[in-house]
Amino acid sequence: MRDLSPRALRRWTYLSRAWLGAIWAVLVGAFSWLMSGHQPVSMWLLVGASLAAMLSVVPVHECGHWWAARLRRMAVAMVVIGPLELQPRRRGVRLRLLGRKSAQRGLGGWVVALPDPRRDVRRDAMWMAAGGSLANLLFAAACIVAAVLLPPSSLRPVLAPLAVANIAIGVLNLMPYLIGGRTPSDGLNLWRLSRNRYEDLPGWSLKLVLGHFAAGLPADRLDPALLRRMSNEPEPMPLMRDWLEFDAALRAGAADDAARALVRVRERAAGYPPQMRELAADLLAMSEVQDVFHRALAGGDDDPVRALSALDLRQPGLWRSPQVAPRVRALAAALRGDAAVARVELERSRRYAENDPVPGVAAYEASLRERIVALMPPAAATAGAAG
């Protein structure tokens, strides 16, 4: 992969710090002028305006990434803004508050968007990377225009810090440097995308694989080279490769292959440092639930009802796939002979699955529901299928 030299990255890092320092100097100077001018502005108003400015930059920035991804027909899987996680659906958006100790929680944010491999993925990714800064700069321009056009009032001092803060973040994110010495900025992603293939960027081969399935394309059309590339990349890419093999084996009904892949997933996750282990916990939790469900559905457990009942279906790892928990409860109810509960849970799972933005989810979940209905008594099964 072609990349900036360490020396160039250091220079851009110093420049980014100098830019932030200059912005702070401008803000302090502007506030001093406003508080000591012919028409002094209340200090509390300036403090409130500053807080509003700081709180606005991240939502504006991340919504810009979200808008750009949707404009380029990418599948937006997750949006994180500070302590909030949003999950776009076909209709509406699901939202949750991240736990206090979550490694994903912070003052910043990010957007996970998956490319459609049938399109120009490199161009789409460049638009998505630039979308955040473009949103900040457009928002700042709107604040400046409003301040010019509005008559003199107490609103102007509020618009000024909003504009300055969004200009600062918009320009800062276009600089090619490593945030905290580790995470590439939007500007660095743009630089890399302009000089490399999409799949050559670290970790982006996984996005191509997931984007393949998000577009509803069959597994046999997936480029095997992408999976081989994931095995040779730094963690957690090999873990994600093992998980993809586990998921593919489950869908194919290959119980032994799925069991071996799940063992590899567990071993890799156990060897991670604490922060990475937390990030892998959700994936591992979902894998364990899916493994128990498919073994129970195939009759591979001596006591499937007990195995299903022992699952913790309230754990955070299942939140991103809301159709799974009611589907598991439906299977447990069907195996107990409780057709009424099974029908209710199947209907709940159906609504979640059909509202999933990933095209293949609804069809796959429908096939699982049909297998659960087949385990119910004939009269109940007819009613369940009709629902």
Side-chain angles (χ1 to χ4, degrees), residues 304-326:
V305 174
R306 183 178 180 181
L308 292 168
S309 301
L311 292 173
D312 179 9
L313 299 179
R314 296 181 179 273
Q315 54 188 316
L318 304 185
W319 183 82
R320 297 190 185 99
S321 299
Q323 73 276 1
V324 170

Side-chain angles (χ1 to χ4, degrees), residues 43-113:
M43 181 186 69
W44 294 111
L45 179 61
L46 292 177
V47 170
S50 302
L51 288 174
M54 288 187 289
L55 292 174
S56 73
V57 291
V58 173
V60 170
H61 188 86
E62 302 309 331
C63 286
H65 285 309
W66 186 356
W67 167 78
R70 295 300 301 140
L71 186 67
R72 301 301 297 182
R73 300 180 185 177
M74 301 174 75
V76 179
M78 178 174 61
V79 180
V80 174
I81 300 175
L84 297 177
E85 179 179 343
L86 294 84
Q87 185 190 53
R89 309 288 288 176
R90 286 183 183 272
R91 298 177 299 276
V93 175
R94 297 178 71 233
L95 183 146
R96 70 167 172 171
L97 184 67
L98 294 172
R100 292 182 180 180
K101 297 182 180 180
S102 174
Q104 302 177 54
R105 183 168 178 164
L107 297 177
W110 63 87
V111 175
V112 177

Side-chain angles (χ1 to χ4, degrees), residues 134-152:
L134 287 175
N136 286 124
L137 296 175
L138 288 173
F139 186 79
C143 290
I144 293 171
V145 170
V148 171
L149 296 180
L150 287 173

